[in-house]
Amino acid sequence: MGRTASTGHLDLLLLAALSHGEAHGYAVISRIRERSDGQFDLLEGTVYPALHRLEEEGLLGSHWVVEGGRRRRTYALTTSGRKALVAKRADWLTFASGMHAMLGATA
Amino acid sequence: MSDRKRDGVSDRTSDGTSDDMSDGRPGQPADQSAAADRRDDSAIERYLDRLLGELRADPRRARRIVAEAEDHLYSTAHRLEQAGTDRSTAEAEAVRRFGQPTQVAASHGGLRLRDLLRPATGLTALGLVAVGVSGLVAEGMGRIWGADFVSGDLPGASYTPARCSDFAEYFPGRDCLTAAALHHWGEVVDYRVAAGVVGLLLLLLYRFLPRRRPLPDGAAAALGAILFLAAAAVLSLDSLNAATQGAHGMGASLSAALVAGVAGVAMLVRAWWAHVPRRTPEPHGQAAT
C-alpha cells in the first residue's frame, strides 16, 4: 500500500497504535509506520483530525503535557475505545479472511 | 520535564525502536529548546502562520490544532537533525511530510451552514441599525428643510377626499399635500427608528451567539461593504430622480443613501484592514543574524 493508508481503516490503525499505550500524534504515526514495516506511511497532518474525531466519539481521551517548553497532546484509549478496537479488529479479520479465500481461489 | 512513561505502558515498538521524542537538542537544556526553535526565518513558523490563516475553527480548537502541529513539526525536525540533517533542510522536510496547510486545514473540516448564523445575524443587525440611524437623519432633515423635502409627493400626486380627511385629523389646518408630507415624514422616522431598535436587540443576540468556525478574515466586512454600497448607489439614484423633479421627498432616499454610504465605507476599511500585513515585532534581546 502506498503513502496514503486506506482512510476507511485509519480508525483501526489509530486505535491499534494506541492499544500499546498512550502517545502523542507524532509517536502514533511513528508506531504505525514502524509496526507496519513502512506499509502505512500516513500523510502526517491529516492524522490529527482523525484523532480529534475519535476523541469526540468517546473512543479516545487526551490531555496536555508540557515537555521542552512546548505543549504536547497525549492520547489514550478509553474503555469504549478498547471495545471498539476489539470489534473493528474482528470485522477486519473476517474481511481479510474472506478476501484471502477469494484471492487464493483465483490465484 | 514530565515523565511520559508509566508502569505497564510501553513506548517501544516490537523491534525495540523507541518512539520517545525528546525535544532537547544536543548540548542544550530541554526547557530552552522551544524558545530556541522560534526564529523569524523558520520554515516551521511560516507554515504555522499559514495553517492558522487557513483554519476555519473556533479559537480554542484552532489553538489546539496549531499547538499539535507545532509540536509535531519540531519533533520531526529534531529527529532529522539528530540523524545529521542541517536545520533548514530538516524543517523543510518536516513541513513537506506534514502536508500543505490548505490540505491540513481542510481535513479539519470546513464551514457549515450553522457557522454562518452569527455573521448573518451581525450583518442583519448592522443593516437594521443603519436603517434606524437613517430615520434619525430623516428627522433632522425634516426639521431643517421641512417635511416636504423628506417625504413630499412628486408633482402630480393626489389623494382621495377620504384620505385627505384622514390626514386632516392628524394635522388640522393644513392643506392635503402638506398634511400628507407631515404624516409620511412621521412614518419614515418612526418605522426606521423601530427597525433600528430591532437591530440593537439583534446585536445583543449576536453578542451571545456561540462563535463557531469563523469566516475568512474580513469576509463578513467585505460582504457588508458590498451590500451597503450597493444600497447607497440605488438610493442615491432615487434621490437624484426626486431632485430633478423639485426635490419633493428627496430626503427619504437621501438620508438612507448617506447612512448606507458611510456604513459601506466603514465596512470597506474594516475588510481592507483585515488583510494589511502586520509587522512582526523584533524579539527582545536577540541580535540580528
Side-chain angles (χ1 to χ4, degrees), chain A residues 75-89:
Chain A
Y75 297 86
L77 286 182
T78 62
T79 303
S80 299
R82 293 192 184 280
K83 290 178 183 176
L85 175 58
V86 168
K88 287 179 186 292
R89 181 182 282 141

Side-chain angles (χ1 to χ4, degrees), chain B residues 66-84:
Chain B
V66 172
E68 287 189 286
E70 179 181 22
D71 175 49
H72 185 107
L73 288 167
Y74 279 116
S75 296
T76 304
H78 287 161
R79 173 61 71 92
L80 291 171
E81 278 189 90
Q82 287 170 353

Side-chain angles (χ1 to χ4, degrees), chain B:
Chain B
M1 179 185 289
S2 65
D3 183 5
R4 293 182 297 112
K5 296 192 188 301
R6 299 181 184 176
D7 290 340
V9 175
S10 172
D11 282 341
R12 291 190 176 275
T13 65
S14 58
D15 62 1
T17 308
S18 171
D19 53 27
D20 177 17
M21 290 309 303
S22 167
D23 282 340
R25 300 178 64 194
Q28 192 170 57
D31 60 354
Q32 290 185 3
S33 61
D37 281 334
R38 295 190 187 97
R39 306 174 312 181
D40 285 347
D41 62 344
S42 163
I44 291 178
E45 292 299 312
R46 290 197 301 273
Y47 179 92
L48 294 172
D49 289 341
R50 280 190 61 195
L51 179 61
L52 184 61
E54 295 286 345
L55 284 172
R56 301 290 165 253
D58 61 82
R60 178 161 295 189
R61 189 157 173 268
R63 285 195 291 121
R64 172 177 170 175
I65 292 169
V66 172
E68 287 189 286
E70 179 181 22
D71 175 49
H72 185 107
L73 288 167
Y74 279 116
S75 296
T76 304
H78 287 161
R79 173 61 71 92
L80 291 171
E81 278 189 90
Q82 287 170 353
T85 307
D86 67 271
R87 180 62 183 268
S88 294
T89 305
E91 290 198 0
E93 178 62 13
V95 163
R96 188 192 68 78
R97 291 182 185 184
F98 202 74
Q100 290 292 320
T102 48
Q103 187 179 9
V104 172
S107 69
H108 282 281
L111 279 175
R112 293 164 291 191
L113 204 56
R114 61 183 178 181
D115 297 330
L116 300 175
L117 178 62
R118 193 171 191 269
T121 301
L123 277 177
T124 303
L126 285 177
L128 289 172
V129 167
V131 170
V133 171
S134 77
L136 297 177
V137 173
E139 169 75 12
M141 283 179 171
R143 286 176 184 272
I144 296 172
W145 293 302
D148 182 72
F149 178 78
V150 176
S151 50
D153 294 300
L154 292 176
S158 63
Y159 296 94
T160 62
R163 193 70 178 123
C164 283
S165 67
D166 286 339
F167 293 140
E169 267 191 60
Y170 302 126
F171 304 100
R174 308 291 184 108
D175 64 273
C176 186
L177 287 178
T178 302
L182 284 166
H183 175 70
H184 292 141
W185 175 39
E187 283 185 335
V188 165
V189 174
D190 291 347
Y191 292 163
R192 289 186 187 184
V193 169
V197 171
V198 172
L200 289 174
L201 292 173
L202 261 186
L203 269 182
L204 195 62
L205 173 66
Y206 167 84
R207 171 71 178 80
F208 292 104
L209 282 175
R211 288 177 180 273
R212 296 191 181 275
R213 300 169 191 221
L215 296 176
D217 274 352
L223 178 60
I226 291 170
L227 292 173
F228 275 118
L229 291 175
V234 170
L235 291 165
S236 294
L237 286 174
D238 190 56
S239 66
L240 199 60
N241 176 52
T244 60
Q245 300 183 60
H248 303 286
M250 176 182 172
S253 298
L254 183 61
S255 57
L258 286 172
V259 174
V262 169
V265 169
M267 289 270 183
L268 201 58
V269 169
R270 171 68 183 87
W272 169 78
W273 188 252
H275 294 284
V276 171
R278 302 284 187 271
R279 181 182 171 81
T280 306
E282 292 294 331
H284 177 70
Q286 286 192 12
T289 56

Side-chain angles (χ1 to χ4, degrees), chain A:
Chain A
M1 193 171 291
R3 178 170 175 76
T4 305
S6 169
T7 54
H9 305 301
L10 180 57
D11 290 0
L12 178 55
L13 289 173
L14 295 176
L15 294 174
L18 286 165
S19 67
H20 299 280
E22 67 172 33
H24 52 84
Y26 184 97
V28 169
I29 294 168
S30 297
R31 283 183 191 175
I32 292 173
R33 185 187 305 121
E34 291 165 4
R35 291 176 189 271
S36 68
D37 293 326
Q39 289 295 319
F40 298 134
D41 191 11
L42 306 174
L43 188 58
E44 297 175 2
T46 58
V47 167
Y48 289 91
L51 289 171
H52 296 174
R53 178 173 46 75
L54 290 172
E55 186 176 11
E56 287 172 9
E57 293 174 1
L59 304 184
L60 299 179
S62 69
H63 61 279
W64 291 109
V65 296
V66 177
E67 293 185 13
R70 186 176 299 122
R71 292 203 306 165
R72 170 166 290 173
R73 195 80 179 181
T74 301
Y75 297 86
L77 286 182
T78 62
T79 303
S80 299
R82 293 192 184 280
K83 290 178 183 176
L85 175 58
V86 168
K88 287 179 186 292
R89 181 182 282 141
D91 288 343
W92 169 253
L93 289 174
T94 301
F95 172 79
S97 172
M99 187 62 79
H100 179 75
M102 180 66 189
L103 294 176
T106 57

